[in-house]
Amino acid sequence: MPTEQRLVPSEADETSDAAAPGERQKAVRRSGWAALRPLVLRLHFYAGVLVAPFLLVAAVTGLLYAASFQAEKVLYAHELSVPAGGRTLPLSQQVAKARAAHPEGAVAAVRPAPEPGDTTRVLLSGAPGVPEDHQLAVFVDPHTGEVRGALETYGSTGALPLRTWLDSLHRDLHLGENGRLYSELAASWLWVVAGGGLALWIGRRRCTRRKVRALALPDRTATGRRRTLSWHGAVGVWAAGGLFFLSATGLTWSGYAGAHIDAFRRSLGQATPSVSTAVTVDAADRGNAGHHAHHGGAGGTAGMPGMPGMPGMGGKQSGASSGAATDVGVDRVLAAARSEGLSSPVEIDLPTAKGPAYVVKQVRRSWPEKQDAVAVDPATGRVTDVSRFADYPVLAKLTRYGIDLHTGTLFGLVNQIALAALALALVFLILWGYRMWWQRRPTHGRTLSFGRPVPRGAWRRVPLPVLLPLVCGVAAVSWAVPLLGVSLVGFLLVDVVLGVLARRRRAAAPAD
């Protein structure tokens, strides 16, 4: 039997496209879902076969990442926790203890212990062996000043080595920026595959009795391919909402689609605000600040032995002219932030050449979110700017909530369990999909063959008033989600090439 004869026909229970080619060409154009179903079925088939490997990798790595939060607490318990004590050392002294143990790099930020029994993190940038976009976290007992250890950390959630490694695996397979294409491709197609499958399953079950049960529960009396399809469809119904969410939120911080989303938010005035680090305090205030710093001020660490001019320690920075570059220290800066209502957990970012002011920001990513931030003049200890999460634009808030829900921090353990269940569901949906493809293979002829695709030409049956808006919509979505558009064009080219080759084989068959 020629190969094309085995590949083209479709089973009668799956679609009416199994009609002979001549009959298909004579078929009257249908309207509504009847016209679109063959096109959606073919798209779902090709996307499932070709994009599913990327989705499978994203699901497995996402499952591992969801489990990493709890694993991190066990693996790094010594660094993260200490016996609760009654007395807490000034933050500047904790920083000094960290610097005495780890003088490499420069202090970039400090995260005071948020709860009794937690350690303080002193974050160092430029440490040897630490990537530029990562930091070295030195863990300090806030009660005794004991340095409990140092670990590489990454991101606003303070991911430690295990979670950092899994995060990179999920995001780019440790291949850098080029590797991010895989995750963006998976996110770009996930909503298409899920939406197409949901539409096909609802359309298949809409005329059956006990409709809800048929949609939501698998048919345990079915056998063979029908049984696999039943599980694939029922689980897909339960998982569809979560898959749409993962696709949408995953695209928000992707490379190409994410840039378009950011530009759209900015055009609407919905960008995420930030505090200004410009320092505009007058000279008189700076002179007073220098006088206080000379006498130790609230920092209480001016002139600390072995720590001359260290930012955040109070006193005059090295190389500074008189009264021009004094630093009130992290203790006064933290007190100023507390006076503005910034409760724990917070991160204190030290002044830099790009931002001469301290920035104290809340870093709670769990519900209720704490994202307020203030800028503090290092010379006076005065708050120069404030940003309130309550004042964020709506889209900025939704983006923050969506990312934190996607990464498993918004609702803690419950959130992580839900993500793990969703990842497992996606894994099984993909495996069931491949199993159905295998079960559709011809059982006679060659010993090695694959499932039969849905016949070509489905788009010709779509009425022109439906086809034209559909093409325009696909073009618009492809612009907004570039990897979807590029890969879709690639699918079409492959399909055209396969069609040409099939026609040539048919033409050459009589001569054989």
Side-chain angles (χ1 to χ4, degrees), residues 266-314:
R266 287 195 298 270
S267 69
L268 298 178
Q270 296 285 310
T272 301
S274 60
V275 293
S276 171
T277 56
V279 175
T280 58
V281 181
D282 59 40
D285 287 334
R286 293 184 181 278
N288 292 332
H291 174 76
H292 288 303
H294 176 73
H295 289 285
T301 57
M304 179 177 293
M307 310 294 291
M310 188 179 115
M313 302 307 299

Side-chain angles (χ1 to χ4, degrees), residues 21-280:
E23 295 174 347
R24 289 202 301 270
Q25 293 175 358
K26 297 178 181 179
V28 179
R29 287 181 179 267
R30 293 168 291 180
S31 60
W33 174 243
L36 288 175
R37 185 178 183 276
L39 186 63
V40 174
L41 186 61
R42 187 166 180 82
L43 179 64
H44 187 71
F45 171 82
Y46 270 116
V49 170
L50 300 177
V51 181
F54 299 97
L55 292 173
L56 184 60
V57 172
V60 172
T61 56
L63 174 63
L64 295 174
Y65 182 79
S68 67
F69 287 89
Q70 302 306 314
E72 201 173 58
K73 295 178 182 179
V74 176
L75 188 60
Y76 306 117
H78 177 75
E79 290 83 2
L80 294 172
S81 59
V82 294
R87 174 177 176 268
T88 299
L89 296 176
L91 190 58
S92 54
Q93 291 187 23
Q94 299 178 49
V95 175
K97 294 288 187 180
R99 292 301 283 155
H102 291 273
E104 67 273 23
V107 179
V110 183
R111 290 193 175 191
E115 300 287 346
D118 292 337
T119 52
T120 293
R121 298 190 190 192
V122 180
L123 306 177
L124 309 180
S125 61
V130 177
E132 185 178 354
D133 57 342
H134 292 198
Q135 295 173 322
L136 182 67
V138 182
F139 297 86
V140 181
D141 186 331
H143 310 296
T144 66
E146 175 195 1
V147 174
R148 306 277 290 181
L151 295 168
E152 189 175 315
T153 185
Y154 171 76
S156 60
T157 61
L160 297 178
L162 173 64
R163 186 152 58 93
T164 298
W165 192 88
L166 290 173
D167 174 67
S168 179
L169 182 66
H170 180 63
R171 183 178 64 251
D172 57 26
L173 301 178
H174 294 284
L175 298 175
E177 286 300 312
N178 291 332
R180 293 185 65 183
L181 295 175
Y182 114 84
S183 58
E184 183 169 354
L185 180 67
S188 299
W189 276 97
L190 179 57
W191 67 276
V192 178
V193 176
L198 185 63
L200 290 169
W201 185 246
I202 292 175
R204 184 184 180 90
R205 293 291 192 239
R206 62 182 176 179
C207 296
T208 62
R209 295 180 180 179
R210 305 173 69 179
K211 176 180 177 181
V212 175
R213 180 179 178 84
L215 282 174
L217 296 176
D219 183 2
R220 297 187 178 183
T221 63
T223 59
R225 183 177 175 277
R226 287 180 179 272
R227 181 180 179 85
T228 307
L229 177 62
S230 177
W231 278 96
H232 183 82
V235 173
V237 167
W238 287 98
L243 298 180
F244 289 142
F245 168 80
L246 290 180
S247 177
T249 53
L251 289 173
T252 57
W253 74 90
S254 62
Y256 297 101
H260 287 171
I261 293 172
D262 287 342
F264 176 71
R265 286 174 52 201
R266 287 195 298 270
S267 69
L268 298 178
Q270 296 285 310
T272 301
S274 60
V275 293
S276 171
T277 56
V279 175
T280 58

